[in-house]
Amino acid sequence: MCGFSGFLSKNFPQHPDQLLTIMGQAIVHRGPDDGGQWWDADAGIGLSHRRLSILDLSPAGHQPMLSACGRFVIAFNGEIYNHLELRRELEKTADYKWRGHSDTETILAAFATWGIEAALKKCTGMFALACWDRQKRTLTLARDRLGEKPLYYGWQGNSFLFGSELKALKAHPAFNAEVNRDALALLMRHNYIPAPYSIWQGLNKLQPGCLLTVSTAQREPHITPYWSGKHIIEAGLRSPFTGSADEAVSALETVLQDAIGQQMVADVPLGAFLSGGVDSSTVVALMQAQSSRPVRTFSIGFHEAQYNEAEHAKAVAKHLGTEHTELYVTANDALNVIPKLPSLYDEPFSDSSQIPTFLVAQMARQHVTVSLSGDAGDELFCGYNRYLMASRLWGKLSQLPVGLRRAMASSLTTLSPAAWNRLANPLMKSLPSRFGQMNVGDKLHKGADVLACQSVSELYLNLVSHWQDPTSLVLGATEPPTLLTTTKAQPNTPTDIERMMALDMLTYLPDDILTKVDRAAMSVSLETRVPFLDHRVIEFAWTLPLQYKLRDGVGKWALRQVLYKHVPKALIERPKMGFGVPIDDWLRGPLRDWAETLLNEKRLRNEGFFNPLPIKIKWEEHLSGKRNWHYYLWDVLMFQAWLEEQ
């Protein structure tokens, strides 16, 4: 796991080594073990690399790396889990004299033998890379299938800049620091900026599963997909798994075991995040089943009961026999993370679970260099509550007149979320655990928004949006199209639930979840691996009929059956919890002064990015307890904190 950056330019600097070193130092946290530069002044290309040594800790893994044939130079970030299989396949075509056992050397040989696109299609892994073809004088950028690893690029004047994080590009003298207001509008809607957009004008994110080629002779980047999530989803739904329920569970366990087994290979200490939920518990259970020693597991706990899953994780760890480490964090621990967020996330990002994600990564890094996680289980196996809401409610609600539904919505918001919670908590405690709900008030207020929707498409966009009309908030912005608003580009699915799952997999997962985990973990030089994102797991999951995912109102049915072979059902069955912190309370308490400084009306007017009035209204309502607007306010605050650091 590493980080890289570079530039392609006719105006080549006089001291490329110094500039490449500075760009590399900007992301040294991604690769503290080694650094290297390579450049060709005549061709106008320079590559900088920072290395976090995971496989082949020797100098044979040093980058940028030149292929044995001398044609290709690569700066590579990631892991190719099947690279030893690829080596065996390559050895059938030629007598290779390997210099070491790094996957970087393997992928260079694959490029030379099969070509870049064909080689990437053979790879199982997570990666972002920059490869210079010395023969054709073209630069190729590539990103893994679901976007686990980041990659930014764009022309700034006469220089084409690229790299793992924007801060590396910003170190180049051609960088133009102009905020992209349209991207800011997207941040206000989603709490992240979706690919291909970035916060800086003229710079983009390479979309997952894509190749980009560019040269000084061909300035316009040529982008092609080598793997399409849309096509995989549609192909799986067209050719569903036809076996029995037991056969489906067995097949799922087999593909997961293989993916997890490959991802347990490392030359450094390895462990796993464990929340005690279905996804992370399944990953840990299948790790432990393949390990001769106790797996290292990590969880964090909170003293606030509604945010604490540590006891559940501890029980699962005890049953599986892992070597478990937990850390209970205080409000001050979490609050101390907030000043680091603008630098850590590189562009404004406002999913507040970024705070506990950083804390668990920081703790894990004290013991291991690689940690597996259970991310993507919700998107692939139908785990989010919004899927169940669609299943249970929309069919009935859609039969009611819109006017009646709007009146019902208005009545639900007459009480604040806190007031609803006070009324509902005694009832929730009396219900069986599977029926209990946390934060009932917030859910009722969200439900009020749903009641007023006129279609499932509108419902889904509502559920995944914060500010519903961000262009009225961001001055001078036009909200650009995304997959969520471009229906022709969306996968064709037979049910509304599968459509939501597909859109989550293609948007929310890479742009929110994977971004959150990558930046948090790499800020402390921790590599994270996501077994559910092995493309073979993804492709199999989309062949599973919905009845094997959602059954009797409970999601992840098949995945649960795999887990229940290893962990008693009683340790897992409980209401789904988010991985969060009490931002809503903190904004009324210890964060109030900080927030009021950033949200000051005069300051907002002077900076000229926001219309201050709607922000002022929400801030006052939040402070009074009338409404809980912390999602909306956190979006603005994370941009303001980021802007202050620029």
Side-chain angles (χ1 to χ4, degrees):
M1 189 61 59
C2 310
F4 65 86
S5 56
F7 52 84
L8 177 65
S9 178
K10 290 183 177 179
N11 302 328
F12 208 70
Q14 287 188 338
H15 301 286
D17 54 335
Q18 295 178 13
L19 178 54
L20 290 167
T21 298
I22 291 169
M23 293 176 74
Q25 282 297 120
I27 52 172
V28 68
H29 51 277
R30 298 190 77 91
D33 298 330
D34 187 25
Q37 300 84 36
W38 180 92
W39 66 90
D40 181 338
D42 290 337
I45 182 70
L47 299 173
S48 179
H49 189 267
R50 293 299 318 183
R51 186 181 181 203
L52 176 63
S53 302
I54 303 295
L55 290 174
D56 192 348
L57 310 186
S58 75
H62 178 78
Q63 294 188 53
M65 186 181 291
L66 186 67
S67 64
C69 65
R71 176 176 174 179
F72 298 106
V73 186
I74 196 171
F76 177 78
N77 166 28
E79 302 290 347
I80 305 300
Y81 302 122
N82 66 333
H83 89 97
L84 294 178
E85 296 172 21
L86 294 178
R87 284 198 173 197
R88 289 190 288 270
E89 188 175 348
L90 287 163
E91 287 164 356
K92 294 176 183 177
T93 66
D95 183 22
Y96 280 91
K97 305 297 183 189
W98 302 106
R99 291 167 288 180
H101 65 273
S102 75
D103 52 357
T104 308
E105 185 181 3
T106 305
I107 200 170
L108 275 172
F111 286 177
T113 302
W114 299 314
I116 293 176
E117 182 172 354
L120 290 179
K121 289 180 177 179
K122 291 175 177 283
C123 291
T124 300
M126 58 172 180
F127 53 84
L129 62 88
C131 182
W132 177 250
D133 185 333
R134 301 173 75 191
Q135 179 178 309
K136 293 185 176 180
R137 289 201 168 193
T138 58
L139 174 69
T140 297
L141 305 181
R143 196 173 177 207
D144 62 62
R145 291 171 176 86
L146 259 296
E148 290 185 62
K149 295 291 103 185
L151 183 46
Y152 295 88
Y153 71 91
W155 284 101
Q156 300 279 274
N158 291 318
S159 297
F160 183 81
L161 310 182
F162 55 91
S164 301
E165 294 186 22
L166 287 168
K167 56 176 67 74
L169 280 62
K170 194 176 180 183
H172 192 283
F175 181 85
N176 178 31
E178 181 184 350
V179 171
N180 183 341
R181 292 172 182 263
D182 296 349
L184 178 55
L186 289 173
L187 174 69
M188 294 300 106
R189 180 177 292 281
H190 298 294
N191 79 234
Y192 59 82
I193 298 173
Y197 308 106
S198 93
I199 192 61
W200 293 117
Q201 196 73 42
L203 296 176
N204 291 310
K205 303 180 184 82
L206 183 61
Q207 291 182 300
C210 285
L211 284 166
L212 178 153
T213 57
V214 69
S215 68
T216 53
Q218 177 209 310
R219 277 181 60 99
E220 185 64 29
H222 180 65
I223 301 173
T224 55
Y226 66 88
W227 186 89
S228 167
K230 176 181 185 290
H231 293 161
I232 291 302
I233 290 165
E234 292 175 341
L237 293 170
R238 281 196 307 269
S239 303
F241 182 85
T242 57
S244 67
D246 288 343
E247 289 169 335
V249 172
S250 178
L252 176 58
E253 184 169 21
T254 297
V255 71
L256 283 174
Q257 280 179 327
D258 188 47
I260 289 168
Q262 281 193 344
Q263 295 195 22
M264 290 175 67
V265 177
D267 294 337
V268 292
L270 174 143
F273 300 137
L274 179 61
S275 70
V278 172
D279 305 334
S280 65
S281 296
T282 302
V283 169
V284 170
L286 295 179
M287 288 177 72
Q288 192 60 71
Q290 300 179 71
S291 178
S292 59
R293 55 196 294 181
V295 171
R296 295 295 307 263
T297 54
F298 306 95
S299 65
I300 60 171
F302 296 92
H303 298 289
E304 297 89 348
Q306 68 269 35
Y307 294 95
N308 186 41
E309 289 190 293
E311 287 300 317
H312 304 298
K314 186 177 182 180
V316 171
K318 182 178 180 181
H319 178 82
L320 292 173
T322 71
E323 184 179 346
H324 190 59
T325 303
E326 64 178 11
L327 172 70
Y328 272 78
V329 298
T330 65
N332 280 337
D333 294 327
L335 292 169
N336 289 336
V337 175
I338 292 174
K340 303 175 184 177
L341 295 177
S343 173
L344 192 155
Y345 279 89
D346 205 27
E347 63 178 344
F349 179 84
S350 50
D351 180 340
S352 61
S353 62
Q354 61 200 139
I355 297 171
T357 300
F358 170 81
L359 289 168
V360 72
Q362 184 182 55
M363 176 184 65
R365 186 62 179 92
Q366 297 172 16
H367 306 275
V368 298
T369 311
V370 178
S371 185
L372 275 63
S373 85
D375 291 314
D378 287 312
E379 292 83 357
L380 293 176
F381 299 103
C382 195
Y384 288 127
N385 289 330
R386 55 178 170 262
Y387 306 149
L388 307 186
M389 178 188 294
S391 174
R392 293 170 178 170
L393 297 179
W394 184 249
K396 296 176 181 178
L397 286 175
S398 61
Q399 298 175 22
L400 297 175
V402 173
L404 177 59
R405 286 192 271 122
R406 286 176 176 163
M408 293 168 62
S410 179
S411 66
L412 286 175
T413 57
T414 55
L415 289 179
S416 70
W420 277 118
N421 287 340
R422 286 193 295 272
L423 291 172
N425 283 345
L427 175 61
M428 292 299 109
K429 291 177 181 177
S430 67
L431 291 173
S433 61
R434 65 173 292 190
F435 296 111
Q437 294 288 329
M438 305 295 293
N439 300 317
V440 172
D442 282 338
K443 289 182 171 64
L444 287 174
H445 275 251
K446 289 179 183 178
D449 291 335
V450 167
L451 281 169
C453 292
Q454 299 187 50
S455 67
V456 174
S457 296
E458 186 182 342
L459 178 150
Y460 176 77
L461 185 60
N462 183 292
L463 290 173
V464 298
S465 299
H466 289 185
W467 293 87
Q468 297 292 327
D469 183 15
T471 54
S472 68
L473 177 72
V474 181
L475 301 176
T478 299
E479 190 173 356
T482 66
L483 186 61
L484 299 186
T485 57
T486 311
T487 53
K488 288 183 179 180
Q490 296 175 2
N492 293 316
T493 59
T495 68
D496 293 326
I497 291 177
E498 286 163 318
R499 182 164 171 268
M500 291 182 182
M501 291 169 60
L503 291 175
D504 275 343
M505 187 188 90
L506 297 175
T507 60
Y508 176 68
L509 176 62
D511 292 321
D512 186 314
I513 303 298
L514 300 180
T515 297
K516 174 181 66 179
V517 174
D518 173 82
R519 304 306 191 278
M522 292 307 295
S523 73
V524 293
S525 307
L526 175 73
E527 173 176 303
T528 51
R529 299 178 177 180
V530 187
F532 287 124
L533 292 185
D534 184 304
H535 69 277
R536 298 165 301 169
V537 176
I538 296 169
E539 290 165 8
F540 176 75
W542 278 104
T543 68
L544 282 179
L546 188 57
Q547 68 192 44
Y548 293 153
K549 299 176 182 177
L550 179 61
R551 185 171 290 196
D552 298 325
V554 178
K556 302 191 221 180
W557 181 84
L559 192 61
R560 290 174 187 271
Q561 308 319 302
V562 172
L563 176 58
Y564 296 155
K565 293 181 180 183
H566 303 271
V567 177
K569 189 175 182 179
L571 292 183
I572 302 298
E573 286 287 316
R574 63 183 185 276
K576 184 177 179 63
M577 292 177 67
F579 188 45
V581 288
I583 292 290
D584 51 344
D585 292 335
W586 291 351
L587 288 175
R588 299 184 186 101
L591 288 179
R592 179 169 177 170
D593 290 344
W594 168 78
E596 286 193 323
T597 299
L598 293 174
L599 300 180
N600 178 271
E601 184 175 356
K602 183 178 180 181
R603 175 176 181 160
L604 293 175
R605 291 192 187 282
N606 288 339
E607 290 168 344
F609 289 103
F610 293 116
N611 174 7
L613 183 58
I615 297 171
K616 179 182 179 181
I617 291 171
K618 282 182 167 50
W619 179 234
E620 291 174 350
E621 289 185 349
H622 186 83
L623 289 178
S624 70
K626 181 180 179 181
R627 291 293 303 270
N628 181 6
W629 294 119
H630 79 272
Y631 290 117
Y632 296 71
L633 294 167
W634 197 246
D635 295 335
V636 178
L637 287 165
M638 284 295 96
F639 175 76
Q640 288 295 99
W642 173 87
L643 184 66
E644 188 172 57
E645 190 171 274
Q646 301 313 304

